[in-house]
């Protein structure tokens, strides 16, 4: 029984690594990410120094909520540990995003003949229902959508019912990035500065944009979950 259960422990990790490296779109993303890290070190004071965080969103932005990372004050060992944790987390986020891109770019044909899996182009979903199905048919995507709903709901409550919205938009932006950042910028652009009577429109537009961004992210996660559930074909004996 031990030998039968052991191969089940790491197949998903192997599949994630394969999806992140076995196709050109995923490798291209990793190349761009590596270039952004180099730019971050070469120009640390420029605005593009934050590009690795944006490229690995939304997972990388979740580390903002943790009081541990670059800038942590303390002993030298603690500061090195904080930076090391941040670097490892950033690499994990890049790997997950690359796997999502790989899952979207290719699929494994379960019954493909030959010694190994064969990669074929993903079949194009039919209509909006086909596009959104991966966002609801697995627990990974549904769990993510629950987080998005909680973030957007808390933002709406703070904007329309709370005494002061403050920085309530930060959580929807974080959990729906990178598209959530565009939703925030778009909501700020639609509110005329000269007429405060339309101020209620901006939170509504942002909430709609953040929700749509969350649906896109959930669909991508759903594609990844589907690829991880697909059993790997065994070599012919």
């Amino acid at each position: 029984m031990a030998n039968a259960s052991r191969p089940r422990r790491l197949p998903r990790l192997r599949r994630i690594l394969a999806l992140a490296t076995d196709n050109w779109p995923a490798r291209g993303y990793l190349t761009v990410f590596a270039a952004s890290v180099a730019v971050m070190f070469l120009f640390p004071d420029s605005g593009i120094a934050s590009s690795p965080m944006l490229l690995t969103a939304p997972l990388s932005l979740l580390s903002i909520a943790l009081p541990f990372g670059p800038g942590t004050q303390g002993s030298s060992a603690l500061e090195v540990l904080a930076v090391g944790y941040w670097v490892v987390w950033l690499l994990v986020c890049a790997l997950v995003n690359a796997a999502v891109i790989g899952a979207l770019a290719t699929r494994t044909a379960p019954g493909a003949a030959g010694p190994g899996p064969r990669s074929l182009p993903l079949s194009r979903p039919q209509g909006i229902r086909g596009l959104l199905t991966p966002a609801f048919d697995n627990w990974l995507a549904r769990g993510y959508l629950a987080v998005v709903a909680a973030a957007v709901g808390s933002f709406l409550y703070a904007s329309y019912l709370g005494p002061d919205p403050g920085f309530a938009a930060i959580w929807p932006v974080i959990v729906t990035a990178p598209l959530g950042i565009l939703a925030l910028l778009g909501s700020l652009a639609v509110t005329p500065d000269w007429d405060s009577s339309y101020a209620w429109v901006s939170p509504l537009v942002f909430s709609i944009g953040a929700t749509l961004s969350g649906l896109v992210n959930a669909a991508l996660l759903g594609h990844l979950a589907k690829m991880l559930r697909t059993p790997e074909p065994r070599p012919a004996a």
Side-chain angles (χ1 to χ4, degrees), residues 52-66 85-86 89-98 100 140 144 173-178 217 221 224:
M53 293 284 290
L54 296 179
L55 286 173
T56 54
L59 289 178
S60 61
L61 297 182
L62 296 179
S63 62
I64 297 177
L66 302 178
Y85 153 79
W86 181 77
W89 176 246
L90 202 65
L91 292 175
V92 170
C93 295
L95 184 64
V96 171
N97 282 5
V100 170
L140 179 63
Y144 169 76
V173 169
I174 288 176
V175 299
T176 62
N217 288 350
L221 286 174
L224 177 61

PDB file of all heavy atoms in Angstrom, residues 52-66 85-86 89-98 100 140 144 173-178 217 221 224:
ATOM      1  N   PRO A  52       7.724  43.084 -11.028  1.00  0.00           N
ATOM      2  CA  PRO A  52       7.605  41.668 -10.639  1.00  0.00           C
ATOM      3  C   PRO A  52       6.370  41.391  -9.789  1.00  0.00           C
ATOM      4  O   PRO A  52       5.738  40.337  -9.941  1.00  0.00           O
ATOM      5  CB  PRO A  52       8.900  41.403  -9.858  1.00  0.00           C
ATOM      6  CG  PRO A  52       9.865  42.399 -10.363  1.00  0.00           C
ATOM      7  CD  PRO A  52       9.045  43.619 -10.650  1.00  0.00           C
ATOM      8  N   MET A  53       5.991  42.329  -8.923  1.00  0.00           N
ATOM      9  CA  MET A  53       4.792  42.142  -8.112  1.00  0.00           C
ATOM     10  C   MET A  53       3.543  42.140  -8.978  1.00  0.00           C
ATOM     11  O   MET A  53       2.627  41.332  -8.780  1.00  0.00           O
ATOM     12  CB  MET A  53       4.700  43.253  -7.065  1.00  0.00           C
ATOM     13  CG  MET A  53       5.778  43.219  -6.019  1.00  0.00           C
ATOM     14  SD  MET A  53       5.510  41.923  -4.783  1.00  0.00           S
ATOM     15  CE  MET A  53       4.108  42.584  -3.907  1.00  0.00           C
ATOM     16  N   LEU A  54       3.493  43.041  -9.961  1.00  0.00           N
ATOM     17  CA  LEU A  54       2.326  43.105 -10.838  1.00  0.00           C
ATOM     18  C   LEU A  54       2.244  41.884 -11.739  1.00  0.00           C
ATOM     19  O   LEU A  54       1.156  41.371 -12.010  1.00  0.00           O
ATOM     20  CB  LEU A  54       2.380  44.383 -11.681  1.00  0.00           C
ATOM     21  CG  LEU A  54       2.306  45.697 -10.902  1.00  0.00           C
ATOM     22  CD1 LEU A  54       2.404  46.878 -11.855  1.00  0.00           C
ATOM     23  CD2 LEU A  54       1.018  45.770 -10.097  1.00  0.00           C
ATOM     24  N   LEU A  55       3.389  41.403 -12.221  1.00  0.00           N
ATOM     25  CA  LEU A  55       3.395  40.242 -13.111  1.00  0.00           C
ATOM     26  C   LEU A  55       2.977  38.969 -12.392  1.00  0.00           C
ATOM     27  O   LEU A  55       2.499  38.023 -13.031  1.00  0.00           O
ATOM     28  CB  LEU A  55       4.781  40.058 -13.731  1.00  0.00           C
ATOM     29  CG  LEU A  55       5.171  41.038 -14.832  1.00  0.00           C
ATOM     30  CD1 LEU A  55       6.636  40.849 -15.225  1.00  0.00           C
ATOM     31  CD2 LEU A  55       4.278  40.875 -16.054  1.00  0.00           C
ATOM     32  N   THR A  56       3.176  38.914 -11.093  1.00  0.00           N
ATOM     33  CA  THR A  56       2.831  37.713 -10.332  1.00  0.00           C
ATOM     34  C   THR A  56       1.544  37.892  -9.523  1.00  0.00           C
ATOM     35  O   THR A  56       1.246  37.082  -8.652  1.00  0.00           O
ATOM     36  CB  THR A  56       3.984  37.329  -9.385  1.00  0.00           C
ATOM     37  OG1 THR A  56       4.332  38.457  -8.572  1.00  0.00           O
ATOM     38  CG2 THR A  56       5.200  36.898 -10.161  1.00  0.00           C
ATOM     39  N   ALA A  57       0.796  38.967  -9.797  1.00  0.00           N
ATOM     40  CA  ALA A  57      -0.485  39.178  -9.122  1.00  0.00           C
ATOM     41  C   ALA A  57      -1.480  38.115  -9.587  1.00  0.00           C
ATOM     42  O   ALA A  57      -1.333  37.555 -10.668  1.00  0.00           O
ATOM     43  CB  ALA A  57      -1.006  40.581  -9.458  1.00  0.00           C
ATOM     44  N   PRO A  58      -2.505  37.791  -8.796  1.00  0.00           N
ATOM     45  CA  PRO A  58      -2.826  38.409  -7.501  1.00  0.00           C
ATOM     46  C   PRO A  58      -2.132  37.776  -6.301  1.00  0.00           C
ATOM     47  O   PRO A  58      -2.161  38.352  -5.221  1.00  0.00           O
ATOM     48  CB  PRO A  58      -4.340  38.216  -7.407  1.00  0.00           C
ATOM     49  CG  PRO A  58      -4.586  36.920  -8.114  1.00  0.00           C
ATOM     50  CD  PRO A  58      -3.593  36.881  -9.250  1.00  0.00           C
ATOM     51  N   LEU A  59      -1.528  36.602  -6.461  1.00  0.00           N
ATOM     52  CA  LEU A  59      -0.964  35.909  -5.298  1.00  0.00           C
ATOM     53  C   LEU A  59       0.123  36.733  -4.622  1.00  0.00           C
ATOM     54  O   LEU A  59       0.183  36.794  -3.387  1.00  0.00           O
ATOM     55  CB  LEU A  59      -0.404  34.547  -5.721  1.00  0.00           C
ATOM     56  CG  LEU A  59      -1.422  33.467  -6.093  1.00  0.00           C
ATOM     57  CD1 LEU A  59      -0.707  32.204  -6.543  1.00  0.00           C
ATOM     58  CD2 LEU A  59      -2.345  33.173  -4.931  1.00  0.00           C
ATOM     59  N   SER A  60       0.982  37.370  -5.413  1.00  0.00           N
ATOM     60  CA  SER A  60       2.091  38.108  -4.818  1.00  0.00           C
ATOM     61  C   SER A  60       1.606  39.285  -3.976  1.00  0.00           C
ATOM     62  O   SER A  60       2.241  39.648  -2.983  1.00  0.00           O
ATOM     63  CB  SER A  60       3.039  38.600  -5.908  1.00  0.00           C
ATOM     64  OG  SER A  60       2.368  39.471  -6.804  1.00  0.00           O
ATOM     65  N   LEU A  61       0.482  39.894  -4.368  1.00  0.00           N
ATOM     66  CA  LEU A  61      -0.024  41.046  -3.631  1.00  0.00           C
ATOM     67  C   LEU A  61      -0.588  40.660  -2.275  1.00  0.00           C
ATOM     68  O   LEU A  61      -0.735  41.517  -1.402  1.00  0.00           O
ATOM     69  CB  LEU A  61      -1.090  41.764  -4.455  1.00  0.00           C
ATOM     70  CG  LEU A  61      -0.610  42.374  -5.780  1.00  0.00           C
ATOM     71  CD1 LEU A  61      -1.753  43.099  -6.471  1.00  0.00           C
ATOM     72  CD2 LEU A  61       0.552  43.328  -5.553  1.00  0.00           C
ATOM     73  N   LEU A  62      -0.903  39.375  -2.080  1.00  0.00           N
ATOM     74  CA  LEU A  62      -1.412  38.952  -0.779  1.00  0.00           C
ATOM     75  C   LEU A  62      -0.359  39.110   0.312  1.00  0.00           C
ATOM     76  O   LEU A  62      -0.700  39.233   1.489  1.00  0.00           O
ATOM     77  CB  LEU A  62      -1.883  37.501  -0.849  1.00  0.00           C
ATOM     78  CG  LEU A  62      -3.065  37.225  -1.778  1.00  0.00           C
ATOM     79  CD1 LEU A  62      -3.399  35.746  -1.774  1.00  0.00           C
ATOM     80  CD2 LEU A  62      -4.275  38.050  -1.387  1.00  0.00           C
ATOM     81  N   SER A  63       0.917  39.112  -0.073  1.00  0.00           N
ATOM     82  CA  SER A  63       1.977  39.273   0.927  1.00  0.00           C
ATOM     83  C   SER A  63       1.973  40.667   1.527  1.00  0.00           C
ATOM     84  O   SER A  63       2.611  40.902   2.562  1.00  0.00           O
ATOM     85  CB  SER A  63       3.340  38.979   0.292  1.00  0.00           C
ATOM     86  OG  SER A  63       3.614  39.893  -0.766  1.00  0.00           O
ATOM     87  N   ILE A  64       1.270  41.619   0.882  1.00  0.00           N
ATOM     88  CA  ILE A  64       1.189  42.970   1.451  1.00  0.00           C
ATOM     89  C   ILE A  64       0.502  42.947   2.809  1.00  0.00           C
ATOM     90  O   ILE A  64       0.808  43.756   3.695  1.00  0.00           O
ATOM     91  CB  ILE A  64       0.430  43.899   0.474  1.00  0.00           C
ATOM     92  CG1 ILE A  64       1.217  44.022  -0.839  1.00  0.00           C
ATOM     93  CG2 ILE A  64       0.194  45.269   1.078  1.00  0.00           C
ATOM     94  CD1 ILE A  64       0.516  44.847  -1.884  1.00  0.00           C
ATOM     95  N   ALA A  65      -0.426  42.004   2.982  1.00  0.00           N
ATOM     96  CA  ALA A  65      -1.161  41.920   4.246  1.00  0.00           C
ATOM     97  C   ALA A  65      -0.316  41.348   5.377  1.00  0.00           C
ATOM     98  O   ALA A  65      -0.715  41.433   6.539  1.00  0.00           O
ATOM     99  CB  ALA A  65      -2.413  41.068   4.065  1.00  0.00           C
ATOM    100  N   LEU A  66       0.834  40.764   5.059  1.00  0.00           N
ATOM    101  CA  LEU A  66       1.683  40.167   6.081  1.00  0.00           C
ATOM    102  C   LEU A  66       2.776  41.144   6.502  1.00  0.00           C
ATOM    103  O   LEU A  66       3.451  41.720   5.649  1.00  0.00           O
ATOM    104  CB  LEU A  66       2.325  38.872   5.553  1.00  0.00           C
ATOM    105  CG  LEU A  66       1.350  37.782   5.094  1.00  0.00           C
ATOM    106  CD1 LEU A  66       2.120  36.594   4.549  1.00  0.00           C
ATOM    107  CD2 LEU A  66       0.461  37.340   6.253  1.00  0.00           C
ATOM    108  N   TYR A  85      12.232  35.076   2.351  1.00  0.00           N
ATOM    109  CA  TYR A  85      10.840  34.635   2.277  1.00  0.00           C
ATOM    110  C   TYR A  85      10.125  35.305   1.117  1.00  0.00           C
ATOM    111  O   TYR A  85       9.374  34.666   0.364  1.00  0.00           O
ATOM    112  CB  TYR A  85      10.130  34.948   3.594  1.00  0.00           C
ATOM    113  CG  TYR A  85       8.641  35.157   3.448  1.00  0.00           C
ATOM    114  CD1 TYR A  85       7.772  34.076   3.324  1.00  0.00           C
ATOM    115  CD2 TYR A  85       8.106  36.458   3.417  1.00  0.00           C
ATOM    116  CE1 TYR A  85       6.405  34.280   3.172  1.00  0.00           C
ATOM    117  CE2 TYR A  85       6.750  36.657   3.268  1.00  0.00           C
ATOM    118  CZ  TYR A  85       5.909  35.572   3.149  1.00  0.00           C
ATOM    119  OH  TYR A  85       4.563  35.780   2.989  1.00  0.00           O
ATOM    120  N   TRP A  86      10.335  36.604   0.944  1.00  0.00           N
ATOM    121  CA  TRP A  86       9.668  37.349  -0.118  1.00  0.00           C
ATOM    122  C   TRP A  86      10.101  36.848  -1.491  1.00  0.00           C
ATOM    123  O   TRP A  86       9.284  36.708  -2.393  1.00  0.00           O
ATOM    124  CB  TRP A  86       9.977  38.833   0.028  1.00  0.00           C
ATOM    125  CG  TRP A  86       9.311  39.690  -1.003  1.00  0.00           C
ATOM    126  CD1 TRP A  86       8.006  40.081  -1.029  1.00  0.00           C
ATOM    127  CD2 TRP A  86       9.919  40.252  -2.166  1.00  0.00           C
ATOM    128  NE1 TRP A  86       7.764  40.867  -2.133  1.00  0.00           N
ATOM    129  CE2 TRP A  86       8.914  40.982  -2.851  1.00  0.00           C
ATOM    130  CE3 TRP A  86      11.198  40.217  -2.688  1.00  0.00           C
ATOM    131  CZ2 TRP A  86       9.164  41.666  -4.039  1.00  0.00           C
ATOM    132  CZ3 TRP A  86      11.459  40.901  -3.875  1.00  0.00           C
ATOM    133  CH2 TRP A  86      10.444  41.609  -4.534  1.00  0.00           C
ATOM    134  N   TRP A  89       8.495  33.419  -2.120  1.00  0.00           N
ATOM    135  CA  TRP A  89       7.066  33.588  -2.390  1.00  0.00           C
ATOM    136  C   TRP A  89       6.837  34.148  -3.789  1.00  0.00           C
ATOM    137  O   TRP A  89       5.922  33.718  -4.500  1.00  0.00           O
ATOM    138  CB  TRP A  89       6.448  34.496  -1.341  1.00  0.00           C
ATOM    139  CG  TRP A  89       5.001  34.804  -1.570  1.00  0.00           C
ATOM    140  CD1 TRP A  89       4.448  36.009  -1.868  1.00  0.00           C
ATOM    141  CD2 TRP A  89       3.912  33.872  -1.534  1.00  0.00           C
ATOM    142  NE1 TRP A  89       3.085  35.909  -2.007  1.00  0.00           N
ATOM    143  CE2 TRP A  89       2.731  34.598  -1.811  1.00  0.00           C
ATOM    144  CE3 TRP A  89       3.818  32.500  -1.285  1.00  0.00           C
ATOM    145  CZ2 TRP A  89       1.480  34.005  -1.858  1.00  0.00           C
ATOM    146  CZ3 TRP A  89       2.568  31.910  -1.334  1.00  0.00           C
ATOM    147  CH2 TRP A  89       1.421  32.648  -1.609  1.00  0.00           C
ATOM    148  N   LEU A  90       7.670  35.090  -4.212  1.00  0.00           N
ATOM    149  CA  LEU A  90       7.543  35.667  -5.543  1.00  0.00           C
ATOM    150  C   LEU A  90       7.787  34.608  -6.617  1.00  0.00           C
ATOM    151  O   LEU A  90       7.074  34.553  -7.621  1.00  0.00           O
ATOM    152  CB  LEU A  90       8.531  36.823  -5.703  1.00  0.00           C
ATOM    153  CG  LEU A  90       8.211  37.865  -6.776  1.00  0.00           C
ATOM    154  CD1 LEU A  90       6.932  38.602  -6.422  1.00  0.00           C
ATOM    155  CD2 LEU A  90       9.361  38.849  -6.909  1.00  0.00           C
ATOM    156  N   LEU A  91       8.772  33.746  -6.399  1.00  0.00           N
ATOM    157  CA  LEU A  91       9.058  32.677  -7.360  1.00  0.00           C
ATOM    158  C   LEU A  91       7.906  31.675  -7.421  1.00  0.00           C
ATOM    159  O   LEU A  91       7.547  31.195  -8.509  1.00  0.00           O
ATOM    160  CB  LEU A  91      10.359  31.968  -6.985  1.00  0.00           C
ATOM    161  CG  LEU A  91      11.637  32.790  -7.128  1.00  0.00           C
ATOM    162  CD1 LEU A  91      12.837  31.997  -6.615  1.00  0.00           C
ATOM    163  CD2 LEU A  91      11.862  33.201  -8.580  1.00  0.00           C
ATOM    164  N   VAL A  92       7.319  31.350  -6.268  1.00  0.00           N
ATOM    165  CA  VAL A  92       6.165  30.436  -6.255  1.00  0.00           C
ATOM    166  C   VAL A  92       4.997  31.047  -7.014  1.00  0.00           C
ATOM    167  O   VAL A  92       4.323  30.369  -7.796  1.00  0.00           O
ATOM    168  CB  VAL A  92       5.778  30.099  -4.804  1.00  0.00           C
ATOM    169  CG1 VAL A  92       4.447  29.348  -4.764  1.00  0.00           C
ATOM    170  CG2 VAL A  92       6.861  29.262  -4.143  1.00  0.00           C
ATOM    171  N   CYS A  93       4.752  32.335  -6.802  1.00  0.00           N
ATOM    172  CA  CYS A  93       3.660  33.015  -7.512  1.00  0.00           C
ATOM    173  C   CYS A  93       3.900  33.008  -9.016  1.00  0.00           C
ATOM    174  O   CYS A  93       2.965  32.803  -9.807  1.00  0.00           O
ATOM    175  CB  CYS A  93       3.529  34.451  -7.016  1.00  0.00           C
ATOM    176  SG  CYS A  93       3.026  34.598  -5.293  1.00  0.00           S
ATOM    177  N   ALA A  94       5.152  33.237  -9.435  1.00  0.00           N
ATOM    178  CA  ALA A  94       5.473  33.215 -10.860  1.00  0.00           C
ATOM    179  C   ALA A  94       5.265  31.823 -11.439  1.00  0.00           C
ATOM    180  O   ALA A  94       4.758  31.672 -12.564  1.00  0.00           O
ATOM    181  CB  ALA A  94       6.915  33.672 -11.076  1.00  0.00           C
ATOM    182  N   LEU A  95       5.620  30.802 -10.681  1.00  0.00           N
ATOM    183  CA  LEU A  95       5.447  29.433 -11.149  1.00  0.00           C
ATOM    184  C   LEU A  95       3.966  29.094 -11.305  1.00  0.00           C
ATOM    185  O   LEU A  95       3.563  28.469 -12.299  1.00  0.00           O
ATOM    186  CB  LEU A  95       6.106  28.467 -10.173  1.00  0.00           C
ATOM    187  CG  LEU A  95       6.098  26.981 -10.560  1.00  0.00           C
ATOM    188  CD1 LEU A  95       6.899  26.764 -11.828  1.00  0.00           C
ATOM    189  CD2 LEU A  95       6.641  26.122  -9.428  1.00  0.00           C
ATOM    190  N   VAL A  96       3.143  29.506 -10.348  1.00  0.00           N
ATOM    191  CA  VAL A  96       1.707  29.240 -10.434  1.00  0.00           C
ATOM    192  C   VAL A  96       1.101  29.966 -11.633  1.00  0.00           C
ATOM    193  O   VAL A  96       0.308  29.394 -12.391  1.00  0.00           O
ATOM    194  CB  VAL A  96       1.007  29.652  -9.125  1.00  0.00           C
ATOM    195  CG1 VAL A  96      -0.509  29.580  -9.277  1.00  0.00           C
ATOM    196  CG2 VAL A  96       1.457  28.759  -7.984  1.00  0.00           C
ATOM    197  N   ASN A  97       1.477  31.232 -11.830  1.00  0.00           N
ATOM    198  CA  ASN A  97       0.950  31.975 -12.973  1.00  0.00           C
ATOM    199  C   ASN A  97       1.388  31.354 -14.286  1.00  0.00           C
ATOM    200  O   ASN A  97       0.617  31.289 -15.251  1.00  0.00           O
ATOM    201  CB  ASN A  97       1.400  33.428 -12.899  1.00  0.00           C
ATOM    202  CG  ASN A  97       0.596  34.240 -11.911  1.00  0.00           C
ATOM    203  OD1 ASN A  97      -0.247  33.696 -11.202  1.00  0.00           O
ATOM    204  ND2 ASN A  97       0.841  35.520 -11.853  1.00  0.00           N
ATOM    205  N   ALA A  98       2.635  30.896 -14.351  1.00  0.00           N
ATOM    206  CA  ALA A  98       3.114  30.233 -15.562  1.00  0.00           C
ATOM    207  C   ALA A  98       2.344  28.945 -15.816  1.00  0.00           C
ATOM    208  O   ALA A  98       2.032  28.612 -16.971  1.00  0.00           O
ATOM    209  CB  ALA A  98       4.614  29.941 -15.448  1.00  0.00           C
ATOM    210  N   VAL A 100      -0.762  28.432 -14.922  1.00  0.00           N
ATOM    211  CA  VAL A 100      -2.085  28.837 -15.394  1.00  0.00           C
ATOM    212  C   VAL A 100      -2.034  29.150 -16.885  1.00  0.00           C
ATOM    213  O   VAL A 100      -2.909  28.742 -17.667  1.00  0.00           O
ATOM    214  CB  VAL A 100      -2.582  30.056 -14.602  1.00  0.00           C
ATOM    215  CG1 VAL A 100      -3.830  30.643 -15.242  1.00  0.00           C
ATOM    216  CG2 VAL A 100      -2.873  29.670 -13.160  1.00  0.00           C
ATOM    217  N   LEU A 140     -11.358  24.925  -6.348  1.00  0.00           N
ATOM    218  CA  LEU A 140     -10.318  25.952  -6.344  1.00  0.00           C
ATOM    219  C   LEU A 140     -10.882  27.285  -6.829  1.00  0.00           C
ATOM    220  O   LEU A 140     -10.712  28.329  -6.183  1.00  0.00           O
ATOM    221  CB  LEU A 140      -9.151  25.517  -7.222  1.00  0.00           C
ATOM    222  CG  LEU A 140      -7.985  26.513  -7.341  1.00  0.00           C
ATOM    223  CD1 LEU A 140      -7.344  26.729  -5.979  1.00  0.00           C
ATOM    224  CD2 LEU A 140      -6.951  25.999  -8.345  1.00  0.00           C
ATOM    225  N   TYR A 144     -11.899  30.759  -4.640  1.00  0.00           N
ATOM    226  CA  TYR A 144     -11.382  32.080  -5.009  1.00  0.00           C
ATOM    227  C   TYR A 144     -12.525  33.069  -5.199  1.00  0.00           C
ATOM    228  O   TYR A 144     -12.447  34.221  -4.745  1.00  0.00           O
ATOM    229  CB  TYR A 144     -10.549  31.966  -6.283  1.00  0.00           C
ATOM    230  CG  TYR A 144     -10.196  33.306  -6.883  1.00  0.00           C
ATOM    231  CD1 TYR A 144      -9.205  34.104  -6.318  1.00  0.00           C
ATOM    232  CD2 TYR A 144     -10.869  33.777  -8.010  1.00  0.00           C
ATOM    233  CE1 TYR A 144      -8.900  35.333  -6.863  1.00  0.00           C
ATOM    234  CE2 TYR A 144     -10.563  35.010  -8.549  1.00  0.00           C
ATOM    235  CZ  TYR A 144      -9.574  35.785  -7.981  1.00  0.00           C
ATOM    236  OH  TYR A 144      -9.275  37.013  -8.513  1.00  0.00           O
ATOM    237  N   VAL A 173      -8.906  45.163  -5.027  1.00  0.00           N
ATOM    238  CA  VAL A 173      -7.802  45.326  -5.983  1.00  0.00           C
ATOM    239  C   VAL A 173      -6.802  44.194  -5.832  1.00  0.00           C
ATOM    240  O   VAL A 173      -6.333  43.610  -6.818  1.00  0.00           O
ATOM    241  CB  VAL A 173      -7.111  46.691  -5.788  1.00  0.00           C
ATOM    242  CG1 VAL A 173      -5.822  46.760  -6.584  1.00  0.00           C
ATOM    243  CG2 VAL A 173      -8.039  47.816  -6.223  1.00  0.00           C
ATOM    244  N   ILE A 174      -6.463  43.858  -4.601  1.00  0.00           N
ATOM    245  CA  ILE A 174      -5.463  42.821  -4.358  1.00  0.00           C
ATOM    246  C   ILE A 174      -5.937  41.464  -4.859  1.00  0.00           C
ATOM    247  O   ILE A 174      -5.198  40.755  -5.555  1.00  0.00           O
ATOM    248  CB  ILE A 174      -5.119  42.759  -2.854  1.00  0.00           C
ATOM    249  CG1 ILE A 174      -4.279  43.983  -2.453  1.00  0.00           C
ATOM    250  CG2 ILE A 174      -4.353  41.475  -2.521  1.00  0.00           C
ATOM    251  CD1 ILE A 174      -3.972  44.040  -0.976  1.00  0.00           C
ATOM    252  N   VAL A 175      -7.169  41.091  -4.531  1.00  0.00           N
ATOM    253  CA  VAL A 175      -7.619  39.730  -4.858  1.00  0.00           C
ATOM    254  C   VAL A 175      -7.994  39.575  -6.327  1.00  0.00           C
ATOM    255  O   VAL A 175      -8.107  38.445  -6.809  1.00  0.00           O
ATOM    256  CB  VAL A 175      -8.808  39.305  -3.977  1.00  0.00           C
ATOM    257  CG1 VAL A 175      -8.407  39.320  -2.511  1.00  0.00           C
ATOM    258  CG2 VAL A 175     -10.015  40.189  -4.206  1.00  0.00           C
ATOM    259  N   THR A 176      -8.218  40.688  -7.050  1.00  0.00           N
ATOM    260  CA  THR A 176      -8.588  40.575  -8.466  1.00  0.00           C
ATOM    261  C   THR A 176      -7.516  41.106  -9.398  1.00  0.00           C
ATOM    262  O   THR A 176      -7.747  41.229 -10.603  1.00  0.00           O
ATOM    263  CB  THR A 176      -9.902  41.328  -8.747  1.00  0.00           C
ATOM    264  OG1 THR A 176      -9.730  42.716  -8.465  1.00  0.00           O
ATOM    265  CG2 THR A 176     -11.033  40.767  -7.914  1.00  0.00           C
ATOM    266  N   ALA A 177      -6.338  41.454  -8.871  1.00  0.00           N
ATOM    267  CA  ALA A 177      -5.247  41.942  -9.722  1.00  0.00           C
ATOM    268  C   ALA A 177      -4.833  40.850 -10.707  1.00  0.00           C
ATOM    269  O   ALA A 177      -5.035  39.664 -10.437  1.00  0.00           O
ATOM    270  CB  ALA A 177      -4.064  42.355  -8.844  1.00  0.00           C
ATOM    271  N   PRO A 178      -4.252  41.196 -11.842  1.00  0.00           N
ATOM    272  CA  PRO A 178      -3.909  42.557 -12.274  1.00  0.00           C
ATOM    273  C   PRO A 178      -5.063  43.323 -12.910  1.00  0.00           C
ATOM    274  O   PRO A 178      -5.006  44.533 -13.015  1.00  0.00           O
ATOM    275  CB  PRO A 178      -2.795  42.331 -13.285  1.00  0.00           C
ATOM    276  CG  PRO A 178      -3.111  40.997 -13.881  1.00  0.00           C
ATOM    277  CD  PRO A 178      -3.705  40.180 -12.773  1.00  0.00           C
ATOM    278  N   ASN A 217     -10.080  35.676 -13.532  1.00  0.00           N
ATOM    279  CA  ASN A 217      -9.078  34.941 -12.756  1.00  0.00           C
ATOM    280  C   ASN A 217      -9.585  33.565 -12.350  1.00  0.00           C
ATOM    281  O   ASN A 217      -8.833  32.580 -12.365  1.00  0.00           O
ATOM    282  CB  ASN A 217      -8.689  35.743 -11.523  1.00  0.00           C
ATOM    283  CG  ASN A 217      -7.845  36.953 -11.848  1.00  0.00           C
ATOM    284  OD1 ASN A 217      -7.390  37.119 -12.982  1.00  0.00           O
ATOM    285  ND2 ASN A 217      -7.630  37.814 -10.879  1.00  0.00           N
ATOM    286  N   LEU A 221      -7.987  29.896 -13.152  1.00  0.00           N
ATOM    287  CA  LEU A 221      -7.724  28.905 -12.112  1.00  0.00           C
ATOM    288  C   LEU A 221      -8.463  27.607 -12.397  1.00  0.00           C
ATOM    289  O   LEU A 221      -7.953  26.511 -12.122  1.00  0.00           O
ATOM    290  CB  LEU A 221      -8.132  29.456 -10.743  1.00  0.00           C
ATOM    291  CG  LEU A 221      -7.229  30.513 -10.116  1.00  0.00           C
ATOM    292  CD1 LEU A 221      -7.854  31.042  -8.839  1.00  0.00           C
ATOM    293  CD2 LEU A 221      -5.842  29.949  -9.842  1.00  0.00           C
ATOM    294  N   LEU A 224      -6.530  25.572 -14.815  1.00  0.00           N
ATOM    295  CA  LEU A 224      -5.407  24.918 -14.137  1.00  0.00           C
ATOM    296  C   LEU A 224      -5.885  23.724 -13.328  1.00  0.00           C
ATOM    297  O   LEU A 224      -5.271  22.646 -13.362  1.00  0.00           O
ATOM    298  CB  LEU A 224      -4.697  25.919 -13.234  1.00  0.00           C
ATOM    299  CG  LEU A 224      -3.538  25.359 -12.394  1.00  0.00           C
ATOM    300  CD1 LEU A 224      -2.443  24.796 -13.285  1.00  0.00           C
ATOM    301  CD2 LEU A 224      -2.981  26.431 -11.467  1.00  0.00           C
TER     302      LEU A 224
END
